Amino acid sequence: MAKIPEHVLVDYERLKDELNQHNHSYYVLDDPSVPDSEYDRQMRLLQDLEAQYPSLTTADSPSQRVGGEALSSFDQVRHDVPMLSLDNAFSDEELVDFDRKVKDRLNYSAQKESPEIEFACEPKLDGAAVSLLYRDGLLVRGATRGDGTVGEDITANVRTINSIPIKLVGDNIPSLLEVRGEIYLPRAGFDALNTKAIAAGEKAFVNPRNAAAGSLRQLDSKITASRPLEMCAYSVGQFEADITPDTHLNMLVALGRWGFKINEHVEVVSGIAACEDYYQRMAERRDNLAYDIDGIVYKVNDLKLQERLGFVAKAPRWAIARKFPAQEEMTKLLDVEFQVGRTGAVTPVARLEPVFVGGVTVSNATLHNGDEIKRLGICIGDTVIIRRAGDVIPKIAKVVLEKRPADAREIVFPDRCPVCESSVKRAEGEAVARCSGGLFCGAQIKQAIKHFASRKAMDIDGLGDKLVDLLVDKNAIFSVADLYDLKAEQLIGLERLAEKSATNLVAAIDASKKTTLAKFFFSLGIREVGETTGQTLANNFGSLDAVIEADAETLLEVDDIGPIVARHIVNFFRNPDNLSIIQALREAGVQWPDIDQNAQASQPLKGQTWVLTGGMEVMSRAEAKDRLQDLGAKVAGSVSAKTAQVVAGPGAGSKLSKAQKLEVPVMDEAEFIEFLSRV
Ligand code: IVH
């Protein structure tokens, strides 16, 4: 036998130690020290070493066990049928290889016209595995996987989960049934849980999986009950019944009939090429699912074939998991910059060593505010875990303290604005710190002008962010009103602006003078006054002067205007600088038709909330929204029981299904256009 080189032995011991440590953090403490992707990489290295030098492998190698040890505080449960893990395929080639091995074992390859294998394809849910035991249809025990052989008795906790039946329903109920499945937290539940934790000054969970696992291992089941956990069944352990389903899919269908939740994306396909196609389709939908999935599981559908294929060490030969690109990665915090927004909010932005995560390269992430920096306990130079799942905004989920370098620097929140050097103040009870420079602050002026010019506001074509920066930096403009004094000659000298674009821009600025009252309110950039509130103000007050004159009490009489928004509106119009800018805008010719208050009664959709979802083919979505708002409707982004009407175009997804569930009326674009012609 070849002698094992010394450096290999050293590497092997180090890898084992590190992996065991990660395993402990992950399975025992529910607090991962590294992202899965890093764990997978190290595990691969270890497995490669063990394949190369088989005599290395010891019983205590992390490659030889399925999970962590059971906590002593729960009773132990022995799994009569071991709870196995799954082998992973990291590429299409490995998947093809899996298919070939399955066919070889079944002697299919020897046949002339080798038939394709039927596979059940399922999302790999990212939660915690559970075993549920039913005797004569009654739930008698719930257990965690533990190390695959011995888990923890969590019966009291699983009983609190609504999607787990306490008593089975339907026909042919088995005398003994052990259901296996995944307990997980949908993303919305996870976000709500973390918002609550942060508000209570507690540590946030890194991801929904850890939150689900942590929730299951609560000694107090009331805590588990307060967590919006769900459970999806994906296989069966012990099973004694008169009728045994012949395929995995039929077993899932039976489980569904007995009362279990089954994943809605399960599909049976023929051959491995169709498995790859399923993977692509799910990869596209991944971001839009209500819960995290970290890959796809393929299972030989025929249960007799499964039996013939059997198991190796810790995993079945009839199933494999194909992982998606990781949603968590490790990278370095290079620096923190402080950006000043339109309302003066000073936001710390993390500059990161670029990292590919959740399908995109991330090099910046917001740190929100000073509290977030404290909560994360983050320093410049730290190694951090970046998470990007479903939502588009990547987050810093955690600092890897073990990797903090000796020269890590504390992040100091500035007490002076980085742009205008005015003092930075934090109002009582607010998380956000703001520059007090107002319109003296170049950053606030720039943001205010960019907002004013944006598409949904005054819609000035050709006035991009870079040009606004340039105009302000060169002292060509100091406020939005100055835009209307700009001359083409003045602009031509500016970098990269040719004569034609300068003339076009002046024309676009001129064209923007004709606007609507609602858009004008929105353009002003009053705090908390978005498009919808702009429309509400226009509809309810009819003119700019009526809003300028309104006090907080009058504003509060309007539905949808709360005390905070009312205060911001009053403060805005009490500020003489703002009033003089408005005056200058009016003098420059900015105008809108006032809304006849008597005509308000004829707004047939007043008080209704509409939702637009899916694609539109004839009219643009913006146009549809404008029309609805003109008719007095509020256009919202999500469906609730209060939604009056949903307009659903091709490709409509979760909003449409929610509308159907809540029995909210739905029309398509053709019906919508017809409706508009009638009102
Ligand atoms: S089947 C013997 N199906 O992935 C087959 N597992 O590494 C055992 N998982 O611990 C598992 N979704 O908790 C299966 N649709 C699915 C799954 C799934 C998630 C988890 C499961 C297991 C781990 C395997």
Side-chain angles (χ1 to χ4, degrees):
M1 195 167 49
K3 194 169 176 314
I4 302 170
E6 182 61 26
H7 72 272
V8 171
L9 284 171
V10 173
D11 279 354
Y12 183 65
E13 287 305 318
R14 201 203 67 230
L15 267 177
K16 274 203 312 194
D17 280 351
E18 276 193 30
L19 278 162
N20 274 328
Q21 226 176 317
H22 298 331
N23 241 32
H24 181 258
S25 310
Y26 186 101
Y27 285 107
V28 182
L29 307 177
D30 293 328
D31 187 14
S33 46
V34 291
D36 283 4
S37 49
E38 175 68 11
Y39 182 90
D40 286 344
R41 264 193 292 274
Q42 295 190 358
M43 182 60 94
R44 284 237 134 180
L45 284 176
L46 184 87
Q47 285 169 337
D48 287 349
L49 281 182
E50 289 178 349
Q52 204 180 343
Y53 305 100
S55 62
L56 267 181
T57 318
T58 52
D60 72 343
S61 164
S63 69
Q64 302 299 300
R65 62 175 184 173
V66 183
E69 300 153 2
L71 282 181
S72 53
S73 29
F74 287 103
D75 280 349
Q76 295 202 332
V77 166
R78 176 161 288 278
H79 299 297
D80 288 341
V81 179
M83 287 184 80
L84 300 167
S85 168
L86 288 168
D87 278 340
N88 285 316
F90 289 93
S91 66
D92 286 352
E93 291 76 53
E94 290 184 16
L95 209 56
V96 170
D97 206 40
F98 162 74
D99 184 49
R100 194 184 42 76
K101 280 191 193 139
V102 168
K103 284 179 174 165
D104 283 353
R105 284 223 156 240
L106 297 172
N107 281 329
Y108 277 30
S109 312
Q111 297 174 26
K112 238 203 188 137
E113 300 246 327
S114 155
E116 289 296 358
I117 304 283
E118 236 184 34
F119 292 104
C121 312
E122 304 174 356
K124 187 166 186 293
L125 299 167
D126 208 4
V130 71
S131 146
L132 303 169
L133 194 66
Y134 292 81
R135 283 190 201 284
D136 298 320
L138 282 181
L139 173 67
V140 292
R141 194 196 71 191
T144 63
R145 182 169 72 165
D147 65 3
T149 313
V150 178
E152 296 155 0
D153 189 323
I154 51 161
T155 312
N157 289 344
V158 298
R159 275 188 208 282
T160 69
I161 297 168
N162 290 323
S163 45
I164 295 179
I166 302 286
K167 184 171 182 243
L168 301 185
V169 293
D171 303 327
N172 301 318
I173 288 174
S175 54
L176 182 68
L177 171 68
E178 185 200 0
V179 174
R180 274 128 188 227
E182 199 81 350
I183 292 190
Y184 61 97
L185 259 178
R187 286 180 190 143
F190 171 71
D191 290 342
L193 193 62
N194 265 355
T195 307
K196 233 166 66 188
I198 291 167
E202 291 161 15
K203 244 175 95 178
F205 290 102
V206 172
N207 54 41
R209 180 194 50 233
N210 292 102
S215 302
L216 274 189
R217 306 248 297 301
Q218 294 291 331
L219 289 167
D220 177 359
S221 60
K222 280 200 208 77
I223 298 178
T224 313
S226 74
R227 309 265 165 98
L229 297 165
E230 291 188 13
M231 134 80 188
C232 212
Y234 56 61
S235 74
V236 160
Q238 300 178 70
F239 187 74
E240 283 168 24
D242 296 337
I243 307 169
T244 308
D246 53 348
T247 63
H248 175 71
L249 183 68
N250 286 339
M251 181 62 97
L252 292 183
V253 170
L255 290 174
R257 292 208 181 108
W258 292 325
F260 293 93
K261 191 175 155 118
I262 306 299
N263 187 277
E264 69 268 34
H265 299 290
V266 179
E267 239 176 69
V268 170
V269 304
S270 180
I272 210 71
C275 289
E276 282 161 16
D277 175 66
Y278 178 88
Y279 177 88
Q280 294 305 337
R281 280 186 284 130
M282 284 310 291
E284 278 165 30
R285 307 176 82 152
R286 184 188 188 191
D287 278 356
N288 296 324
L289 297 177
Y291 43 84
D292 275 7
I293 64 176
D294 60 348
I296 300 297
V297 186
Y298 302 109
K299 300 170 182 173
V300 171
N301 191 33
D302 188 319
L303 293 179
K304 284 222 174 59
L305 294 186
Q306 282 192 6
E307 208 174 314
R308 271 174 61 194
L309 287 161
F311 304 87
V312 270
K314 60 161 195 165
R317 287 204 191 88
W318 43 262
I320 196 154
R322 172 89 162 85
K323 289 285 196 88
F324 281 137
Q327 287 179 322
E328 282 167 32
E329 279 292 352
M330 236 164 38
T331 190
K332 246 202 171 115
L333 175 65
L334 301 176
D335 202 1
V336 173
E337 282 171 24
F338 293 87
Q339 286 182 348
V340 186
R342 173 162 59 83
T343 58
V346 179
T347 307
V349 178
R351 301 283 176 227
L352 304 163
E353 206 162 80
V355 63
F356 190 73
V357 56
V360 297
T361 300
V362 173
S363 40
N364 301 310
T366 174
L367 281 163
H368 302 290
N369 52 49
D371 288 348
E372 174 81 351
I373 293 176
K374 263 193 221 125
R375 192 176 66 76
L376 287 166
I378 192 172
C379 286
I380 294 167
D382 266 341
T383 294
V384 294
I385 297 178
I386 301 292
R387 177 175 153 82
R388 183 189 173 274
D391 44 354
V392 249
I393 305 167
K395 285 195 179 76
I396 296 184
K398 188 184 153 85
V399 174
V400 185
L401 278 180
E402 296 85 340
K403 290 192 181 268
R404 174 165 291 171
D407 61 352
R409 279 184 293 134
E410 197 193 328
I411 301 168
V412 184
F413 211 96
D415 51 13
R416 298 254 149 214
C417 171
V419 177
C420 73
E421 298 194 350
S422 302
S423 61
V424 168
K425 289 186 183 131
R426 187 170 154 172
E428 179 107 5
E430 265 197 46
V432 179
R434 286 177 206 279
C435 159
S436 59
L439 291 177
F440 288 111
C441 176
Q444 290 184 57
I445 296 173
K446 283 177 186 170
Q447 296 304 329
I449 297 173
K450 288 173 194 171
H451 172 76
F452 184 83
S454 64
R455 204 170 48 79
K456 290 177 177 170
M458 300 299 277
D459 193 15
I460 305 179
D461 214 21
L463 185 60
D465 288 1
K466 290 231 169 67
L467 191 53
V468 172
D469 289 345
L470 204 62
L471 288 167
V472 175
D473 288 341
K474 301 230 155 154
N475 292 333
I477 50 175
F478 297 94
S479 80
V480 292
D482 294 340
L483 286 172
Y484 294 96
D485 293 332
L486 281 174
K487 307 269 175 304
E489 306 83 71
Q490 240 179 311
L491 291 166
I492 289 166
L494 291 171
E495 284 161 70
R496 274 186 292 148
L497 211 62
E499 189 176 338
K500 189 160 186 321
S501 1
T503 323
N504 287 347
L505 179 56
V506 172
I509 294 174
D510 197 53
S512 76
K513 287 178 185 169
K514 277 204 166 53
T515 184
T516 65
L517 182 57
K519 284 192 175 157
F520 187 73
F521 279 130
F522 174 60
S523 306
L524 291 174
I526 306 167
R527 273 175 68 189
E528 308 278 341
V529 176
E531 253 188 300
T532 315
T533 311
Q535 187 74 51
T536 307
L537 287 173
N539 288 349
N540 285 277
F541 291 88
S543 74
L544 173 62
D545 291 324
V547 176
I548 294 180
E549 281 154 25
D551 55 13
E553 228 165 61
T554 318
L555 287 163
L556 278 171
E557 280 169 21
V558 177
D559 273 355
D560 300 332
I561 295 189
I564 293 173
V565 186
R567 201 182 65 221
H568 288 318
I569 295 171
V570 170
N571 286 347
F572 184 90
F573 290 113
R574 275 206 194 133
N575 180 329
D577 289 337
N578 292 335
L579 290 176
S580 64
I581 288 173
I582 289 172
Q583 181 63 22
L585 286 170
R586 278 171 148 172
E587 279 166 14
V590 173
Q591 54 179 295
W592 52 85
D594 280 345
I595 295 169
D596 179 358
Q597 290 292 282
N598 299 325
Q600 291 289 298
S602 76
Q603 284 201 313
L605 306 185
K606 201 168 155 54
Q608 292 189 11
T609 302
W610 285 51
V611 172
L612 301 167
T613 181
M616 300 208 89
E617 282 155 342
V618 181
M619 67 197 316
S620 74
R621 201 183 252 251
E623 211 180 320
K625 193 170 173 184
D626 278 351
R627 292 290 304 272
L628 284 169
Q629 288 177 337
D630 287 345
L631 294 168
K634 205 168 117 181
V635 180
S638 60
V639 175
S640 78
K642 287 192 189 135
T643 308
Q645 177 76 47
V646 168
V647 181
S654 61
K655 285 179 201 171
L656 176 59
S657 21
K658 188 155 181 206
Q660 285 158 346
K661 206 154 121 196
L662 295 172
E663 296 183 357
V664 170
V666 176
M667 56 168 76
D668 64 16
E669 188 180 0
E671 289 166 323
F672 178 56
I673 290 170
E674 205 264 332
F675 169 81
L676 290 178
S677 71
R678 276 187 282 117
V679 287

